Amino acid sequence: MTLKKWLLLLFLLPICDIILVIFISHAIGFLSTLLLLVTSFLSGIWLIKRKGTQVFRSFQREIHERRVPNDSLFDSLFIILGGLLLIIPGFLSDILAFLMLVPPSRAVIKRKLARWLRERFTFYRRY
């Protein structure tokens, strides 16, 4: 993705999120919508606080033992990213957070990310 596409996505995502919140608010009511947004916000904070310390300790242990961080560390980082997305007010970001938190979709995202990284960062050997 080019920089222009990323900037357009960063501009359109909050606008779509606001529109979705307005539609849902009309459908289920303002207080119900507010309760859902506050619940997702508090869930995100709890998730980051709980997993964040575990990830930090695990990462320190892996580095101290001079090992490459394993797959579970990347799972934990995706969970933290999901928690951050839950903190952002809006239902579209909550859907993205849900994709980060559910193991089957997280595995698909990890595979696509690994493929993207391999395509972008090819290491050449000198002979």
Side-chain angles (χ1 to χ4, degrees), residues 47 50-51 55 70-83 95-115:
L47 196 60
R50 182 175 164 263
K51 271 296 189 184
V55 169
N70 61 8
D71 203 36
S72 67
L73 181 63
F74 288 109
D75 281 334
S76 299
L77 289 175
F78 275 114
I79 291 170
I80 289 174
L81 181 60
I95 292 169
L96 293 173
F98 182 73
L99 292 174
M100 294 285 180
L101 297 173
V102 176
S105 60
R106 189 170 55 228
V108 170
I109 293 169
K110 280 193 309 188
R111 271 197 314 273
K112 291 196 181 279
L113 180 64
R115 185 177 342 144

Side-chain angles (χ1 to χ4, degrees), residues 4-124:
K4 287 182 181 180
K5 288 181 182 178
W6 278 111
L7 290 174
L8 181 65
L9 181 68
L10 287 174
F11 177 72
L12 289 178
L13 192 65
I15 292 172
C16 293
D17 225 350
I18 291 169
I19 292 170
L20 187 60
V21 166
I22 291 169
F23 279 127
I24 290 175
S25 179
H26 284 298
I28 66 173
F30 175 75
L31 290 178
S32 298
T33 304
L34 186 63
L35 181 66
L36 285 173
L37 291 174
V38 169
T39 302
S40 71
F41 175 79
L42 294 174
S43 299
I45 289 176
W46 175 81
L47 196 60
I48 289 174
K49 189 174 182 179
R50 182 175 164 263
K51 271 296 189 184
T53 55
Q54 288 177 357
V55 169
F56 184 70
R57 288 181 185 143
S58 174
F59 186 73
Q60 279 184 326
R61 185 173 46 252
E62 296 284 331
I63 296 300
H64 181 41
E65 295 172 359
R66 296 178 188 249
R67 292 188 296 175
V68 176
N70 61 8
D71 203 36
S72 67
L73 181 63
F74 288 109
D75 281 334
S76 299
L77 289 175
F78 275 114
I79 291 170
I80 289 174
L81 181 60
L84 286 171
L85 286 169
L86 282 173
I87 290 174
I88 298 171
F91 293 109
L92 193 57
S93 58
D94 290 349
I95 292 169
L96 293 173
F98 182 73
L99 292 174
M100 294 285 180
L101 297 173
V102 176
S105 60
R106 189 170 55 228
V108 170
I109 293 169
K110 280 193 309 188
R111 271 197 314 273
K112 291 196 181 279
L113 180 64
R115 185 177 342 144
W116 182 81
L117 287 172
R118 275 194 304 273
E119 290 172 0
R120 299 297 185 276
F121 302 104
T122 305
F123 298 101
Y124 298 100

